[in-house]
């Protein structure tokens, strides 16, 4: 009897799906009055989507900056450790070997990442402290300017053209030295060029989309995608900036982004960085939602790809669109694992 499509999805998910961008720590911090939040709010959905590894990002909302940035980042890490201690389903991993060990025990491996170096202020020594706390991947900026550089705007042009500051360059050099994966998500086009110029290792973009389908400087051009490919890096496709048009924010358009990257740099260069954010957005008041949309953009969440349990929808659609088993395994798992093995 031939394998059903659901059986094929399960087989392709056996090694675990890797999502390199998840805003978990800030949500754990916001729910700090509760205990066992991972167990009650997250484990079922993550397991339903066969998630094996997740990059969990430290991110600071504007209201904490600048004075409370370091403190809130440390609080987020504290919540993450407390929650993982209480939940046998999870492990915080610091190396490729620890990821393999966690997966052998069927634990979901968390890799601590940082989205914007605001917690460091302009103190390079703190990068070492965060490394000791488990930080293993870092992007220099979110949208706003910080001591390292500027983010790319949610607009087709107009991002600052200064590139990296001297501090930003120091952070990049120190990441290469320590073994913290350099992530070019969010960085301005000029900053992107600087990082490419000054590094040699396979840099990544944990969560982004192609400007072909959503033309803002927060996303990436054909040339930028090629530069990541030439470096042997990997691009995680983001599920929240799939299209500026609500009617085109679909699962098929998400797969179009994957195909676009694959066609430019090959299947070894494309993976997943879902950035599932709808659950946080829905927890906000209407005023907060409007403020977010005015500041960034109207994020059109993809109905069939809005949470981790939906990753099975993605795999099913990749099969329907003609991707081979080998290609799907690379997208879901093997490409990120290759990066982890190279860096960690
Ligand atoms: Zn982001």
């Amino acid at each position: 009897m031939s394998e059903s499509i659901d059986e094929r999805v399960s087989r392709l998910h056996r090694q675990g799906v890797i999502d390199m961008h998840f805003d978990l720590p800030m949500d754990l911090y916001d729910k700090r009055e509760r205990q066992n939040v991972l167990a009650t709010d997250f484990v079922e959905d993550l397991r339903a989507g066969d998630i094996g590894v997740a990059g969990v990002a430290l991110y600071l909302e504007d209201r904490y900056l600048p004075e409370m940035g370091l403190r809130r980042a440390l609080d987020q890490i504290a919540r993450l450790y407390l929650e993982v201690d209480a939940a046998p389903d999870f492990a915080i991993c610091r190396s490729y070997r620890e990821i393999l060990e966690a997966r052998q025990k069927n634990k979901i491996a968390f890799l601590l990442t940082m989205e914007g170096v605001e917690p460091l202020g302009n103190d390079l020594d703190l990068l070492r402290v965060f490394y000791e706390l488990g930080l293993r991947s870092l992007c220099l900026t979110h949208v706003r300017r910080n001591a390292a550089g500027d983010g790319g705007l949610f607009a087709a042009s107009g991002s600052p053209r200064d590139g990296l500051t001297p501090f930003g360059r120091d952070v990049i050099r120190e990441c290469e030295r320590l073994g913290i994966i350099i992530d070019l998500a969010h960085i301005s086009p000029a900053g992107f060029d600087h990082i490419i110029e000054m590094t040699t290792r396979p840099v990544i973009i944990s969560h982004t989309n192609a400007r072909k389908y959503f033309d803002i400087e927060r996303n990436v051009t054909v040339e930028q995608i090629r530069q990541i490919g030439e470096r042997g890096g990997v691009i995680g496709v983001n599920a929240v900036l799939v299209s500026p048009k609500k009617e085109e924010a679909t699962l098929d358009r998400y797969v179009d982004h994957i195909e676009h990257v694959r066609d430019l740099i090959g299947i070894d260069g494309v993976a997943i960085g879902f950035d599932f954010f709808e659950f946080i957005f829905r927890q906000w008041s209407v005023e907060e939602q409007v403020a977010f949309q005015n500041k960034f953009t109207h994020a059109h969440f993809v109905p069939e790809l809005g949470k981790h349990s939906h990753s099975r929808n993605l795999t099913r659609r990749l099969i329907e669109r003609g991707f081979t088993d080998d290609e799907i395994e690379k997208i879901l798992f093997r490409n990120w694992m290759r990066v982890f093995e190279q860096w960690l």
Side-chain angles (χ1 to χ4, degrees), residues 38-302:
L38 277 179
T40 52
D41 290 21
F42 291 102
V43 71
E44 186 182 337
D45 188 60
L46 289 164
R47 289 294 192 193
D50 306 307
I51 301 303
V53 184
V56 293
L58 301 171
Y59 170 74
L60 296 166
E61 293 162 281
D62 290 351
R63 60 191 152 121
Y64 297 128
L65 299 175
E67 286 83 4
M68 292 299 280
L70 173 59
R71 186 164 182 140
R72 282 295 163 269
L74 294 174
D75 284 333
Q76 289 181 13
I77 294 174
R79 293 313 307 173
L80 185 69
Y81 273 86
L82 285 165
E83 284 283 340
V84 167
D85 280 350
D89 287 273
F90 302 96
I92 298 168
C93 294
R94 295 153 179 261
S95 66
Y96 178 66
R97 177 191 286 267
E98 285 186 6
I99 293 169
L100 291 179
E101 286 170 0
R103 296 302 302 140
Q104 275 165 8
K105 295 176 190 159
N106 195 30
K107 288 174 183 272
I108 297 168
F110 287 149
L111 204 66
L112 185 63
T113 72
M114 182 181 272
E115 185 170 33
V117 296
E118 284 84 355
L120 309 180
N122 59 4
D123 185 350
L124 189 64
D125 286 345
L126 292 182
L127 184 61
R128 177 58 188 257
V129 175
F130 279 95
Y131 176 81
E132 297 297 337
L133 293 172
L135 182 70
R136 290 297 180 271
S137 180
L138 171 151
C139 48
L140 288 181
T141 70
H142 193 253
V143 185
R144 63 198 168 213
R145 170 171 291 204
N146 63 26
D150 294 281
L153 295 183
F154 283 77
S157 62
S159 299
R161 304 208 45 81
D162 306 335
L164 302 193
T165 65
F167 176 67
R169 291 170 182 271
D170 287 344
V171 171
I172 292 297
R173 274 188 282 269
E174 190 70 354
C175 284
E176 282 205 299
R177 194 182 72 78
L178 289 170
I180 297 173
I181 300 167
I182 296 167
D183 178 357
L184 284 81
H186 285 288
I187 193 76
S188 68
F192 188 105
D193 291 343
H194 281 168
I195 296 174
I196 292 291
E197 278 164 24
M198 66 179 294
T199 57
T200 54
R201 301 185 74 172
V203 292
I204 68 163
I205 311 178
S206 62
H207 63 299
T208 194
N209 293 94
R211 291 184 66 172
K212 177 179 179 183
Y213 297 113
F214 197 157
D215 187 22
I216 51 177
E217 289 192 323
R218 182 259 175 271
N219 288 336
V220 285
T221 63
V222 165
E223 180 56 29
Q224 288 175 317
I225 293 168
R226 287 209 176 103
Q227 287 173 305
I228 298 293
E230 283 163 13
R231 191 56 68 78
V234 175
I235 296 171
V237 176
N238 186 333
V240 297
L241 294 171
V242 169
S243 174
K245 296 179 189 157
K246 189 177 191 330
E247 63 277 14
E248 291 178 9
T250 63
L251 184 55
D252 270 313
R253 181 45 51 89
Y254 184 87
V255 175
D256 291 339
H257 285 270
I258 290 177
E259 283 187 349
H260 178 60
V261 177
R262 179 200 61 185
D263 292 347
L264 288 168
I265 63 175
I267 195 68
D268 291 342
V270 61
I272 302 300
F274 285 127
D275 197 8
F276 289 136
F277 185 68
E278 192 174 2
F279 78 102
I280 292 175
F281 188 79
R282 301 270 170 242
Q283 289 165 185
W284 289 345
S285 66
V286 173
E287 290 76 18
E288 288 172 319
Q289 292 180 357
V290 170
F292 173 87
Q293 289 179 322
N294 289 339
K295 193 153 93 185
F296 300 116
T297 185
H298 278 259
H300 297 300
F301 302 113
V302 177

